[in-house]
Amino acid sequence: MYPFKFKPILKSTLWGGERIIPFKQLDCQQEQVGESWEISDVPGDESVVADGADAGKNLTQLMQEYKEKLVGKENYQRFQGKFPLLIKFIDAKQDLSIQVHPNDELAMKRHQSMGKTEMWYIIDNTGGKAHLYSGLKKKITPEEYAQMIEDNTICDALARYDVQPGDVFFLPAGRIHSIGAGCFLAEIQQTSNITYRIYDFNRRDKNGNLRELHTELSKDAIDYTVENDYRTHYTPRKDEPVELVSCPYFTTSVYNLTEPMTMDYSELDSFVIYICMKGSCTVTDNEGHSIPLRAGESVLFPATTQNLEVVPEGEVSFLETYV
């Protein structure tokens, strides 16, 4: 087995921008690309291996063929043969809808799917101006919530943040959120595409129709807890890992490297994903497979990987995530 890169799945959206294609240095033409699905096992959107002996196979086929060798023994059993994470880059030229995702229990009951806990790492904010919503800033009841949707005042109840590159937000299932105009970010989430759209600023699609809202479905899915601060605070450091999020669904750290580093995964029963945000490096595994990694690329290292040697070219920044 060897490190896998996949062909990106580019999604044009109502709110998408023009930054993903140049960021990923792709040679293609596509308008309003809002998302690049980097690593996906979502049915109908399975990532395809870009090169090597398994080129052309999709992630579902890799799971069927390699099983616990790909994801780890415990992960293979726990997620019943499904790859558990979905990795994306997102470019918001306009505000996304206000939305919420159900937790595992509700998603399984309603949709026979896992829930959707996720995190965001802000890569860029256009012209220094970008914002997002995360969580409730005041206590409301489900009935008040439904009334605020009706009155177009739901944003009054949400915590709004101006964001800078390097900002991190953890979004457990049930937390109301929205990516605002100007945000360019990496997203790590459970393998689920279930979104309850709460409010869409009364926008109309290209056919002049209002997009569907899921007020009743979302009412039961929301966590109405109010917290003081929804931002994830951490101190950036060079040449050592900085853990950002540790939850039952993923553990994510950020690396800013200016010198070579060896990563020891011999005790880890999981795949590892690197998501590169800035710069470039060469990564070599314990079997001698060497792979270049640059900004805009993601790579999946199978659970059989014992250690990795990362050699930056100048400075490189990437996220490391595993389950």
Side-chain angles (χ1 to χ4, degrees), residues 15-28:
W15 42 264
E18 311 300 332
R19 287 185 289 182
I20 283 176
I21 288 173
F23 177 67
K24 292 182 61 59
Q25 299 181 46
L26 300 175
D27 183 18
C28 66

Side-chain angles (χ1 to χ4, degrees), residues 192-209:
S192 167
N193 201 28
I194 299 167
T195 295
Y196 297 155
R197 191 181 294 121
I198 288 171
Y199 182 63
D200 198 35
F201 310 99
N202 292 319
R203 279 186 298 203
R204 297 184 181 272
D205 64 19
K206 61 186 177 190
N207 301 316
N209 301 314

Side-chain angles (χ1 to χ4, degrees), residues 3-31:
F4 296 104
K5 283 184 182 176
F6 296 89
K7 296 177 182 177
I9 301 168
L10 302 179
K11 303 269 188 180
S12 291
T13 63
L14 186 70
W15 42 264
E18 311 300 332
R19 287 185 289 182
I20 283 176
I21 288 173
F23 177 67
K24 292 182 61 59
Q25 299 181 46
L26 300 175
D27 183 18
C28 66
Q29 299 291 319
Q30 192 170 327
E31 299 289 307

Side-chain angles (χ1 to χ4, degrees), residues 17-273:
E18 311 300 332
R19 287 185 289 182
I20 283 176
I21 288 173
F23 177 67
K24 292 182 61 59
Q25 299 181 46
L26 300 175
D27 183 18
C28 66
Q29 299 291 319
Q30 192 170 327
E31 299 289 307
Q32 288 180 260
V33 176
E35 299 184 343
S36 173
W37 290 25
E38 297 288 290
I39 300 177
S40 167
D41 195 23
V42 172
D45 280 304
E46 297 91 348
S47 294
V48 173
V49 179
D51 44 36
D54 290 308
K57 293 178 185 173
N58 69 30
L59 188 48
T60 305
Q61 291 169 317
L62 292 186
M63 286 294 298
Q64 291 167 348
E65 187 171 341
Y66 295 118
K67 302 181 172 66
E68 62 270 9
K69 287 183 183 175
L70 183 65
V71 294
K73 190 173 180 181
E74 196 177 320
N75 287 334
Y76 186 74
Q77 292 169 347
R78 176 184 168 194
F79 299 106
Q80 301 175 334
K82 286 288 292 176
F83 191 80
L85 294 185
L86 171 56
I87 309 298
K88 298 177 182 177
F89 290 117
I90 297 179
D91 175 21
K93 193 172 184 178
Q94 299 178 34
D95 295 341
L96 276 69
S97 59
I98 310 289
Q99 51 192 239
V100 73
H101 308 297
N103 62 22
D104 284 348
E105 186 182 0
L106 195 58
M108 188 54 66
K109 187 170 131 187
R110 288 180 176 170
H111 311 282
Q112 289 72 57
S113 166
M114 61 177 85
K116 189 170 169 183
T117 286
E118 58 191 358
M119 68 166 283
W120 296 330
Y121 181 97
I122 307 297
I123 298 171
D124 192 19
N125 57 348
T126 308
K129 289 185 177 179
H131 71 277
L132 55 80
Y133 291 105
S134 178
L136 291 167
K137 68 179 180 184
K138 65 179 184 181
K139 195 78 178 161
I140 57 172
T141 65
E143 292 67 37
E144 287 169 331
Y145 159 77
Q147 189 59 50
M148 293 181 91
I149 301 291
E150 193 73 26
D151 298 342
N152 296 327
T153 58
I154 189 61
C155 292
D156 296 346
L158 304 181
R160 185 185 189 278
Y161 293 88
D162 293 326
V163 294
Q164 301 294 326
D167 284 355
V168 173
F169 289 82
F170 174 58
L171 302 148
R175 182 168 293 170
I176 297 182
H177 61 273
S178 172
I179 298 171
C183 287
F184 187 84
L185 57 85
E187 180 176 88
I188 297 165
Q189 59 159 91
Q190 289 177 269
T191 296
S192 167
N193 201 28
I194 299 167
T195 295
Y196 297 155
R197 191 181 294 121
I198 288 171
Y199 182 63
D200 198 35
F201 310 99
N202 292 319
R203 279 186 298 203
R204 297 184 181 272
D205 64 19
K206 61 186 177 190
N207 301 316
N209 301 314
L210 293 170
R211 295 201 294 173
E212 182 187 3
L213 301 181
H214 308 106
T215 306
E216 284 305 310
L217 287 171
S218 62
K219 200 156 65 168
D220 297 343
I222 292 168
D223 178 357
Y224 290 91
T225 308
V226 176
E227 296 183 16
N228 291 331
D229 189 2
Y230 296 96
R231 197 192 297 265
T232 297
H233 295 275
Y234 70 100
T235 304
R237 293 192 295 274
K238 284 208 169 155
D239 299 313
E240 59 178 294
V242 179
E243 187 173 280
L244 303 176
V245 172
S246 181
C247 73
Y249 305 106
F250 49 81
T251 297
T252 303
S253 298
V254 63
Y255 289 79
N256 293 296
L257 299 185
T258 60
E259 55 189 45
M261 180 176 278
T262 300
M263 318 293 195
D264 183 0
Y265 298 119
S266 57
E267 299 298 312
L268 183 67
D269 182 32
S270 174
F271 62 91
V272 177
I273 293 170

Side-chain angles (χ1 to χ4, degrees), residues 284-296:
T284 306
D285 69 11
N286 49 284
E287 294 183 19
H289 300 113
S290 202
I291 191 165
L293 182 64
R294 69 184 184 197

